[in-house]
Amino acid sequence: MIAEPNAASTLPSQKENAVHDETVPESPAQNGTCVRNGNLKTPREKRKVREQCENIRRNSPAGRRVSQLQNGEVVEAVTLFEVVSMGKQAMQSVVVDWVEAYKQDRNVALLDLINFFIQCSGCQGMVTAEMFQSLYKKDVMQKMTETFDKDNEDYPLIRTGPYWKKFKANFCEFIAVLVQQCQCSILYDNYLMDAIISLLTGLADSMVRAFRHTSTLAAMKLLTAVVSVHLNLDVNKHNAQRLCEVEKKRLSGKRTSYRLDQLERKRKEYEHKLLEIQNMMNAIFKGTFLTRYRDVIPEIRATCMEEIGSWIKTYPDAFLNDSYLKYVGWMLYDKQAEVRLKCLLGLQGIYSRKELVSRMDLFTNRFKDRIVSMPLDKDHEVAVQAMKLLMLMSQNCGDVLSAEDCEMLYQFVYATHRPLAVAAGEFLYKRLLSHGGDKVQPKGGKFGASTDQLKRLIHFFLESELHKHVAYLVDSLWDWAGKFLKDWECMTTLLLKNADEAGEALSDAQESALIEIILATVREAAEGHPPVGRGAAKKILSVKEKKIQLEDCTRITEHFIMVLPQLLAKYSTDAQKVANLLQIPQYYDLDVYSTGHLEKHLDALLREIKDIVAKHSDMSVLEASSRTYYILCREEIAIYSQVDCARTQMIDELMKQLNQLLDCFWQKEGGFCMDAEEISRMHSTLRRVAAFHNAHDLTKWNLYDKTLRFLVFETEHGSLPVLIILPALQCTYFSLLWQLAAVSENSPKETLFVLRRQLRHFSQICTCFLHHKEKDVREKAFMILCDWLLILSHLDSNNNEEAVGLLGYLPNTELQEKLFSFIQEHVFMDGEEEKKDLTEEGKDEACKLDDLHKKRSLLAAYCKLIVYNVVEMTAAAEIYKYYVKTYSDFGDIIKEMLSKTRYNDKIQSAKTLILCLQQLFQTHAESQDSSNGVDFSSPSFANIKELARRFSLTFGWDQVKSRESIAMIHKEGIEFAFQGATGVDGKCLPPNLSFLLIISEFSNKLLKPDKRLVYSYLQRYITEPLACRGDKWQPLVWYRNSLLSNEDEESSVLGSLGEWPPVGSSKTSSFKRKLSNGSVPETSQTEGSKAPEQQCVSQLSSAAGKSRKRLKSQEMHLQERLPFLCPGGIRRRYCKDEVKTEDVSAEGPEDTIEDVDVVGTDQDS
């Protein structure tokens, strides 16, 4: 109950407020419900409050200013709501003024406060003096609920923008300041707090969300402030008790003392106040928290969890027990991430204090398993905070986490979400890697501590069996273990140790792991950003971070310049280790070679690389060696001549070896004579040449003619080994690329003609190899051909237009068909056959993944040709047919192609989608019995319908952005459905009528006006509704219903199976025929005799990025811009409904809520 006022009858009559603008705070200032400006302390404060209030009122047409006479001057009234909205500066003084006003007339001031909470809820009503005096609490709440705007669900606490975020903070601050100012006086008058608690409890039980949310937040903050008062009183009571004891000891023989009596009265007063405060706390907790911590609104539940965590941490003596902790534990299972997050943050505050952890045993045992599982939470922030909580539990709760729990938590260092991985890295470092995590003391020596940590890290890395994720592991530990991860001197010393040094040498697996860790740490230090896949983009480094990065690069260079040749010499026979070590020079500061006079170490490095190239034929090693030469051979650095000389010398030796092998190879005319050993030597040499030709221009060695001879021989005789064909094909491809790159503005025409002939010849060879007997050759030729066509179709030969005209090349229709046939055979059909083979032969998982990777690469190469218009976009229709069938393996590639093609040309992309569906429908119809028609229940028809649904989902939620594409799909679909209909009246059943069921999947993507347009276009093909009766015409009726499903005025017509809505014959006969091709439908000769007035414009002006309120102006031009015409009668009809612009953005298909398969929603229209 709201407390009964004693002098409410003295208040003037009041009225409810008018409607307020959404963008400014409500300001229902009324007579008698304000705090007077004249009570502010300084003229400056008065002026500031007046100016701020005036600015707010000026923007609010509903705001009213009330003037009153005070001490002979006019003073403007300011409500508590306005003060809170303006900020904290005026709040303190206003609260003091309100307390003074309360002491003078508590009913008037309390009415002020009640209306403050009502206004903060967004309610436009006010509690008047009469209501306050005569009505009970429930009746007052009922009155306020009736005045609440039901259509407007907006209220201050949920409004967006910096102004309203500040309002929420000010609202909470006001309650804290109010309690602070009242704690020495009126807080214990048995009137104020009873009234406030009664009001907030009543509002918290309201059915109106705004009341519940606002009152719950106010009640929780009120209890938090009251808890602070309780703590202060408790301290004062203990001080008074101690003084009483001291006074008693001092008096000893005397019976009484005035000071002792005074201290006793003070102690009893504190006890009495504490009892009242405890009653207030219980009333708020039981009246509000217990009813609202399970509210249906997640924001309310989150508020309750946030505040109970604050109470437990602030006042553990009262709240740190299982009676309160259980609520936090229960809400760890809440469905909303916001609530779970508040629970975790509250628990972090408790577990961070060791003195409180001992009282959490029961809670920890009960909810530990839930907390351990929460790093797997789908919300990233919840997962991060759960990991941080587990870190605190591990530090302060002893052995609460088992070894199995820790092993599971360690694996989160490999997570793709970097904050979670970093939190897991802290857990791993502090529990396992640091000295505190191991009882064994590190052995002595210069690198004793770091060596011990490294060995533990290597052991963990090998045990985790995720060897390819070392970069993720290092990145996770970088913030916590950066010091020992940058101890490259310790790492390389550990690698260079001999086995006889007291057993300190590492095993082969440990050495490989340590080399990978070295490479990952060097990369992290030099690049300064997370590895690929962890983090959306490269972060911008601060000045301090850039300085650290430069210092690290210098340290890396100075250390590895001297050590790397030794490491390469030691591990020169191990391909994996050498390939990793050879990647380190790309992070060098190469100027250190010349400035530090370290050229002798450069010679040592070049000698080791030359020896490694001679020993290895593994492509990873050869490519790393080639890249190292490429990094060192920069013309702008001082060591260029030295490195270039070494590179030329090495390539000369390679070419000399190749020429010797070629002479031996072609010793017999028309054939070759080589044994297996010589073929292996030829294979190795060609691989070395190909690896270096990739990064270095070897044109002067005339490699093209030598490798092309292999390819020509294979096309004529077909007897070369695969080991020779593959590197020869690669070398020939690189040779032509370097020649293309050398084309300049001054290139002679004869050179261009020769190059053109070579390009066409190589393209023919690759096309021929698409049918090679060896699968590896076929796949290699296809990949090269796709890249080759992409390059030739987008030539930019240094502004040489003549070169572009001569060398440019686009595939003809025959070649395009061959490319798709290859994809169909090797990606889609081959996949179905291999699924059967895998079940029979039982291939291992690694082999399956390798095959899938190859297929994805082939498909991606072909899709790039479509995206970049090398192959016609209609070829994508054949790929789209496999979208649903192969979604798990290739869905992301096909979806990306769909997104890119739509971005290039959304109309043509829409035509490609409908073409895909038409082809599938025709195939389905041909497989059915023509006498029975199309079977709607067959699996193949259901698959086509599902594919159409997936296509519809790719258009996203922005219907305005995709309206042109959707309109084109419906237009093409309707024309296809009625294609082949006989008779001028359309009475004969069209053979493709069932196709309307498929395009009905796109109806929910149409805007309301566009649905009417599509419906009117459909009516052109049906002149007599009576012909549409019977089950065979059911697809037409279903499609019609999908277009009219949101039309209230036509809902009564939908119940009639074959009867059409009465659009009006006069309106129908006046339709202007304007199709995208300017033709007239065959099914209506009477209308077709009218020539179209204009040709349609191919694209509708998009409204993406503009307000939906501009839809009306767009519809004025819709007749001119759509591919089909808007009938005049229909247009006049829907123009009356266009003012409901806010409904457009809310339009959306209900059946797509559960699916997130959206393509291209972030692209510009």
Side-chain angles (χ1 to χ4, degrees), residues 619-639:
M619 283 305 295
S620 61
V621 177
L622 297 176
E623 289 175 354
S625 303
S626 176
R627 180 168 179 78
T628 302
Y629 271 107
Y630 176 77
I631 295 295
L632 298 175
C633 276
R634 296 177 183 173
E635 296 184 1
E636 66 272 11
I637 59 178
I639 60 173

Side-chain angles (χ1 to χ4, degrees), residues 1016-1036:
S1016 65
Y1017 187 70
L1018 177 67
Q1019 280 189 302
R1020 301 180 185 181
Y1021 294 87
I1022 302 298
T1023 57
E1024 295 188 20
L1026 295 178
C1028 300
R1029 296 188 179 275
D1031 294 340
K1032 293 183 178 180
W1033 291 88
Q1034 194 68 26
L1036 181 59

Side-chain angles (χ1 to χ4, degrees), residues 45-58:
E45 290 180 354
K46 295 179 184 178
R47 185 171 61 255
K48 185 171 185 180
V49 171
R50 262 199 309 272
E51 290 175 355
Q52 292 176 341
C53 292
E54 186 62 33
N55 290 336
I56 294 174
R57 289 305 184 101
R58 191 177 295 116

Side-chain angles (χ1 to χ4, degrees), residues 257 384 394 628 655 913-914 918 922 931 1014 1056 1075 1135-1136:
S257 169
V384 172
S394 173
T628 302
M655 298 307 298
L913 293 181
I914 200 67
Q918 290 171 358
Q922 288 177 331
S931 60
V1014 173
S1056 178
L1075 303 178
C1135 281
K1136 298 178 181 179

Side-chain angles (χ1 to χ4, degrees), residues 1022-1056:
I1022 302 298
T1023 57
E1024 295 188 20
L1026 295 178
C1028 300
R1029 296 188 179 275
D1031 294 340
K1032 293 183 178 180
W1033 291 88
Q1034 194 68 26
L1036 181 59
V1037 178
W1038 285 341
Y1039 180 58
R1040 185 274 318 265
N1041 291 350
S1042 71
L1043 297 175
L1044 304 179
S1045 58
N1046 293 327
E1047 298 293 336
D1048 296 334
E1049 66 271 18
E1050 286 147 345
S1051 59
S1052 60
V1053 186
L1054 300 182
S1056 178

